[in-house]
């Protein structure tokens, strides 16, 4: 057995060992310390007795503090740390009751906070959390009028022109802001000394923005504005309650559930009532353990992990009859959606058949998870009637979600209005919109081109390829919305174009390969900084990561008829570093709420090297 085969077998065996009893993989969805901090604050505010968990979360938060007192979203973050994350961590540690204000670690954190503008310079979402818990004053007017929920879907500007992800967070915020609700915990810590007098900084946006104007105009045309307001609150409440998942969470999202709990409290629900108690239990169920300490996941990633792993293993030669693969595919089939969600509003003729991201997700499918699950099921679908029908439903749903511009988005169809830039929210076009993206369009084309019988001349294929070619950057790269960042987008777009029949000699793929080669590190690997997302331009990490290297290699494999020198150099680095453990193996390579939190997928270090090595061996051996 060659070293190459040994490394592939090592990856496969490691994945087999980590499979859960239900057939899924529950690798952590690691988003840093923000959710840990919010969970402490929530539990203390509701007086939920979870001292052991709170102590563990506090220990984890402290373990992530930098020497300068700050907390970071990623290792090479600018300014020495992240102000919002540091304020959240400071608040949570005090709220836990296990760390005192004169603790040197908190003294150091306070110094960082004040030097960087104080609480008033934090992000809007941090301010909202502080306002909810009585640490920050709500604005004089609501920048998010709840009356907007009454606008019909046919109206050019309405809540259904936001992404489902943005809508799930915005609706409870609208309720809370309209009622200026706050609820202090017992023995609430004093944060007044975190306001900086030297740096007045930014407060709430006090200018009248588009949403506020819409709310005021609705009130003017209403004969009974108070009744209109009450009706809007009632509809917002019903929207949330109708989308609670079986585990009690709102769409399986931590932030949306956190906000929903307080929104329901503001509307008169009791904290000991069943809806709020079940929501808290649902959040508690998303706890995982990393390096011996608890972490509150933003959501679970079981479906995503399982679909990618099942496919990567089969691609590397594991037969579909292998019990690991068979159990994984049984799990995936059990998680296919059978009822419609909000996606139906802009896709009225589509039938359910997609997959969601998390373990408990029944009405919020997305295109990327769906094609990932379908890749895993393709071999089984070829031989089994039941699986074949499920596979067809998934393919049909995927095709039906193509945007009119030719691309694919994550959750919605044709939700990408330019007017979103008028809303006073950081990166509103990414948080509240769901436009076509290079990663979703590329991965969808790769699936359709390699695993279905759609011809390259099919309109869906041609329009998708045209979208990608139109959106390629001058340097040959593409921006990836859900990964870091240009390496991710270029990998997805290149493999998608190749699968759609675009020859490697075409300028788009030649430029893509040239760009990939131009950003290769001297050691043979690739690595990209999360700062690429913030500055919207490629910024090298200065170190190679397993995942970025695998994406870059898979790009070159897709567009090269024979191995290249750059490819061989990258393969050598990958084979030599598969088992390493250092800060680069924990570096985030996924992004969620653009510029606000980044994701370390613990599964990626195994999945994508296995995929690249499997593709190399199949194509060139």
């Amino acid at each position: 057995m060659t070293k190459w085969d040994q490394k592939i077998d090592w990856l496969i065996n490691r994945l087999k060992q980590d499979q859960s009893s239900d057939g899924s993989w529950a690798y952590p969805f690691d988003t840093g310390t923000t959710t840990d901090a919010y969970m402490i604050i929530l539990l203390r505010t509701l007086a939920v007795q979870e001292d052991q968990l709170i102590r563990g979360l506090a220990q984890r938060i402290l373990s992530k503090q930098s020497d300068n007192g700050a907390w970071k979203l990623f290792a090479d973050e600018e300014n020495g740390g992240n102000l919002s994350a540091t304020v959240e961590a400071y608040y949570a540690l005090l709220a836990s009751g296990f760390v005192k204000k004169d603790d040197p670690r908190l003294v150091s954190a306070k110094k960082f906070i004040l030097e960087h503008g104080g609480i008033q310079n934090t992000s809007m979402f941090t301010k909202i959390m502080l306002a909810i818990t009585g640490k920050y004053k709500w604005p004089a007017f609501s920048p998010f009028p709840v009356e907007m929920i009454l606008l019909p879907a046919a109206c050019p500007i309405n809540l259904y022109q936001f992404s489902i992800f943005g809508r799930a967070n915005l609706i409870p915020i609208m309720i809370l802001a309209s009622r200026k609700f706050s609820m202090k915990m017992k023995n609430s810590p004093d944060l007044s000394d975190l306001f900086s007098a030297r740096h007045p900084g930014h407060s709430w946006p006090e200018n009248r923005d588009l949403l506020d104007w819409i709310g005021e105009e609705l009130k003017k045309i209403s004969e009974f504005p108070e009744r209109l307001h009450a009706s809007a609150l009632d509809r917002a409440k019903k929207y949330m309650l109708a989308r609670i998942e079986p585990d009690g969470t709102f769409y399986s999202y931590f932030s949306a559930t956190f906000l929903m709990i307080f929104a329901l409290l503001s509307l008169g629900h009791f904290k000991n009532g069943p809806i709020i108690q079940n929501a808290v239990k649902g959040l508690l169920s998303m706890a995982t353990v990393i390096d011996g300490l608890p972490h509150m996941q933003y959501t679970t990633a079981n479906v995503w992990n399982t679909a990618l792993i099942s496919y990567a293993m089969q691609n590397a030669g594991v037969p579909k009859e292998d019990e690991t693969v068979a159990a994984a595919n049984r799990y995936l089939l059990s998680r296919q959606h059978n009822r419609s969600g909000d996606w139906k509003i802009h896709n009225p003729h589509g039938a359910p058949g997609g997959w969601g991201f998390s373990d408990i997700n029944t009405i919020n499918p997305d295109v990327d998870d769906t094609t990932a699950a379908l890749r895993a099921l393709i071999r089984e679908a070829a031989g089994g009637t039941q699986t074949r029908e499920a596979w067809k439903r998934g393919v049909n749903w995927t095709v039906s979600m193509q945007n009119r511009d030719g691309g694919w988005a994550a959750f919605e169809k044709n939700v990408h209005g330019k007017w979103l830039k008028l809303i006073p929210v950081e990166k509103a076009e990414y948080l509240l919109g769901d436009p076509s993206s290079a990663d979703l369009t590329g991965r969808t084309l790769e699936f359709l081109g390699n695993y279905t019988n759609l011809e390259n001349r099919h309109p869906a294929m041609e329009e998708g390829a045209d979208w990608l070619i139109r959106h390629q950057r001058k340097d040959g790269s593409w921006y990836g919305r859900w990964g870091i960042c240009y390496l991710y987008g270029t990998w997805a777009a290149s493999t998608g174009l190749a699968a759609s029949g675009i020859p490697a000699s075409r300028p788009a793929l030649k430029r893509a390969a040239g760009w990939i080669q131009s950003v290769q590190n001297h050691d043979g690997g690739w690595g990209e900084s999360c700062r690429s997302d913030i500055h919207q331009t490629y910024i090298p990490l200065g170190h190679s990561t397993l995942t970025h290297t695998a994406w870059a290699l898979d790009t070159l494999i897709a567009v090269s008829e024979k191995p290249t020198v750059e490819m061989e150099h990258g393969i050598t680095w990958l084979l030599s570093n598969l088992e390493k453990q250092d800060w680069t193996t924990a570096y985030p390579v996924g992004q969620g709420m653009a510029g606000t939190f980044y994701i370390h997928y613990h599964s990626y270090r195994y999945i994508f090297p296995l995929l690249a090595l499997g593709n190399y061996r199949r194509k060139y051996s």
Side-chain angles (χ1 to χ4, degrees):
M1 182 181 289
T2 66
K3 180 182 179 182
W4 185 285
D5 293 324
Q6 289 174 347
K7 290 297 185 180
I8 288 179
D9 285 349
W10 179 83
L11 286 167
I12 291 170
N13 289 331
R14 177 58 193 261
L15 290 167
K16 286 186 173 184
Q17 292 168 14
D18 291 344
Q19 189 177 30
S20 300
S21 59
D22 66 355
S24 74
W25 277 269
Y27 283 112
F29 185 77
D30 185 349
T31 54
T33 58
T34 291
T35 45
D36 300 333
Y38 279 49
M39 194 66 185
I40 291 174
I41 292 165
L42 175 68
L43 294 174
R44 288 302 191 214
T45 303
L46 300 182
V48 177
Q49 299 303 311
E50 287 282 350
D51 276 7
Q52 184 176 351
L53 173 63
I54 291 172
R55 185 186 293 273
L57 292 173
Q59 289 175 346
R60 183 173 192 269
I61 291 171
L62 286 170
S63 73
K64 301 295 183 181
Q65 188 177 24
S66 301
D67 292 340
N68 66 346
W71 279 263
K72 297 179 177 181
L73 300 182
F74 49 89
D76 59 328
E77 188 168 13
E78 293 166 314
N79 301 317
N82 185 274
L83 176 62
S84 294
T86 302
V87 168
E88 293 161 353
Y90 182 97
Y91 180 13
L93 290 171
L94 283 180
S96 75
F98 298 117
V99 185
K100 302 301 180 185
K101 207 163 192 175
D102 59 357
D103 186 296
R105 295 167 294 188
L106 289 194
V107 172
S108 179
K110 177 181 175 181
K111 182 174 182 291
F112 177 88
I113 291 168
L114 294 176
E115 287 177 348
H116 289 80
I119 278 182
Q120 59 267 47
N121 263 0
T122 56
S123 71
M124 186 193 71
F125 279 92
T126 302
K127 287 190 179 82
I128 288 170
M129 181 273 289
L130 293 169
I132 291 169
T133 56
K135 302 302 175 187
Y136 203 87
K137 187 178 179 181
W138 283 103
F141 70 91
S142 171
F144 306 108
V146 71
E147 287 80 8
M148 190 177 175
I149 199 170
L150 299 175
L151 292 171
C155 182
I157 297 177
N158 65 83
L159 278 176
Y160 292 98
Q161 285 298 328
F162 294 154
S163 71
I164 196 167
F165 178 77
R167 194 160 57 245
N169 286 282
L170 189 56
I171 285 177
I173 290 173
M174 288 161 50
I175 295 172
L176 290 161
S178 73
R179 303 183 72 79
K180 295 181 174 55
F181 177 80
S182 67
M183 178 181 180
K184 286 190 176 183
M185 67 185 72
K186 185 180 180 180
N187 301 319
S188 182
D190 180 12
L191 302 184
S192 61
D193 54 349
L194 297 186
F195 287 83
S196 173
R198 290 189 301 142
H199 301 278
H202 307 287
S203 189
W204 299 100
E206 293 293 339
N207 58 305
R208 284 192 41 148
D209 69 286
L210 178 65
L211 298 187
D212 179 56
W213 177 83
I214 291 170
E216 291 301 319
E217 292 302 307
L218 280 171
K219 291 176 183 177
K220 287 178 184 178
I221 63 175
S222 172
E223 186 177 356
F224 303 102
E226 294 83 5
R227 192 177 299 174
L228 182 78
H229 184 71
S231 178
L233 287 173
D234 183 63
R235 185 171 296 184
K237 174 183 172 180
K238 287 178 178 176
Y239 179 92
M240 295 187 300
L241 296 181
R243 290 156 179 81
I244 292 177
E245 290 286 8
D247 64 351
T249 62
F250 182 21
Y251 273 137
S252 297
Y253 293 142
F254 185 98
S255 63
T257 306
F258 177 94
L259 292 165
M260 179 191 73
I261 289 169
F262 286 106
L264 292 175
L265 288 169
S266 78
L267 295 173
H269 283 247
F270 295 107
K271 67 179 183 180
N272 293 324
I275 295 175
I276 290 177
Q277 287 293 301
N278 287 338
V280 173
K281 289 178 183 176
L283 292 180
L284 289 170
S285 73
M286 294 198 293
T288 189
V289 176
I290 301 173
D291 297 328
L293 294 173
H295 171 53
M296 297 307 307
Q297 298 177 98
Y298 185 86
T299 187
T300 56
N302 294 44
V303 171
W304 181 239
N305 286 331
T306 305
L308 292 176
I309 291 169
S310 175
Y311 166 66
M313 291 178 71
Q314 293 177 74
N315 188 64
V318 179
K320 65 181 177 64
E321 294 81 11
D322 183 281
E323 181 53 29
T324 300
V325 172
N329 288 351
R330 287 195 296 270
Y331 171 83
L332 291 174
L333 287 169
S334 74
R335 294 304 191 270
Q336 187 176 26
H337 292 193
N338 297 304
R339 59 192 183 116
S340 298
D342 282 9
W343 59 267
K344 187 79 169 178
I345 291 168
H346 296 294
N347 184 13
H349 303 298
W355 277 262
F357 182 84
S358 65
D359 183 46
I360 305 297
N361 185 327
T362 63
I363 55 172
N364 187 23
D366 67 90
V367 172
D368 223 2
D369 276 280
T370 300
T371 60
L374 292 170
R375 286 185 190 88
L377 295 169
I378 178 62
R379 290 173 175 82
E380 188 172 328
T385 303
Q386 183 178 356
T387 305
R388 189 183 305 121
E389 289 305 311
W391 195 83
K392 287 179 180 177
R393 289 198 298 119
V395 173
N396 290 337
W397 183 82
T398 300
V399 174
S400 78
M401 289 295 289
Q402 187 172 25
N403 286 331
R404 66 173 65 96
D405 64 8
W408 275 267
F411 301 98
E412 304 272 11
K413 182 175 181 176
N414 299 326
V415 178
H416 46 259
K418 294 181 180 179
W419 62 274
L420 292 173
K421 294 181 180 180
L422 301 175
I423 298 173
V425 176
E426 298 102 324
K427 290 198 173 185
E429 65 269 31
Y430 293 102
L431 172 62
L432 301 179
D434 192 11
S436 297
S437 66
D439 44 329
L440 266 297
T441 303
R443 286 176 59 75
T444 304
L445 284 181
E446 190 278 335
F447 165 71
L448 295 175
N450 286 336
Y451 301 101
T452 75
N453 60 3
L454 286 186
E455 296 182 356
N456 296 335
R457 292 174 294 175
H458 188 283
M461 300 292 289
E462 289 189 335
E463 291 169 16
D466 288 345
W467 187 94
L468 285 173
I469 291 171
R470 291 197 312 270
H471 288 82
Q472 187 177 27
R473 289 161 59 92
K474 290 181 179 179
D475 63 7
S477 68
W478 282 269
Y479 170 81
R481 164 64 182 89
W482 299 97
I484 304 299
C485 196
Y486 293 94
L487 287 172
Y488 185 65
T490 304
W491 163 67
S494 298
T495 54
L497 287 174
S500 68
I502 303 297
S505 59
R506 282 280 295 273
L509 289 181
K510 289 182 70 174
R511 289 167 56 217
W515 181 80
I516 288 285
Q517 292 167 352
S518 73
V519 298
Q520 186 173 22
N521 293 332
H522 292 301
D523 63 8
W526 283 262
E528 183 175 357
S529 172
C530 292
R531 290 184 291 142
S532 290
D533 168 55
I534 295 169
H535 296 287
Q536 296 289 287
T537 188
Y538 176 77
I539 298 176
L541 180 61
H543 300 266
S544 297
T545 76
L546 291 165
T547 303
H548 282 130
T549 300
W551 288 337
L553 282 170
D554 210 33
T555 305
L556 296 178
I557 293 166
V559 302
S560 304
E561 291 303 316
K562 59 183 181 180
T564 64
V565 173
E566 293 84 3
M567 200 187 301
E568 296 292 350
H569 200 189
I571 290 288
T572 299
W573 185 90
L574 195 63
L575 291 173
S576 301
N577 288 277
L578 283 177
E579 299 182 49
K580 78 168 183 173
Q581 289 282 354
D582 61 17
W583 69 271
T584 67
T585 56
Y587 191 81
V589 293
Q591 55 169 308
M593 207 180 300
T596 305
F597 77 78
Y598 296 92
I599 305 157
H600 166 37
Y601 290 92
H602 288 235
S603 59
Y604 277 19
R605 63 166 302 166
Y606 309 119
I607 293 170
F608 290 108
L610 179 60
L611 185 63
L613 292 173
N615 284 339
Y616 184 100
R617 184 169 66 177
R618 285 192 312 112
K619 184 167 186 176
Y620 300 125
S621 64

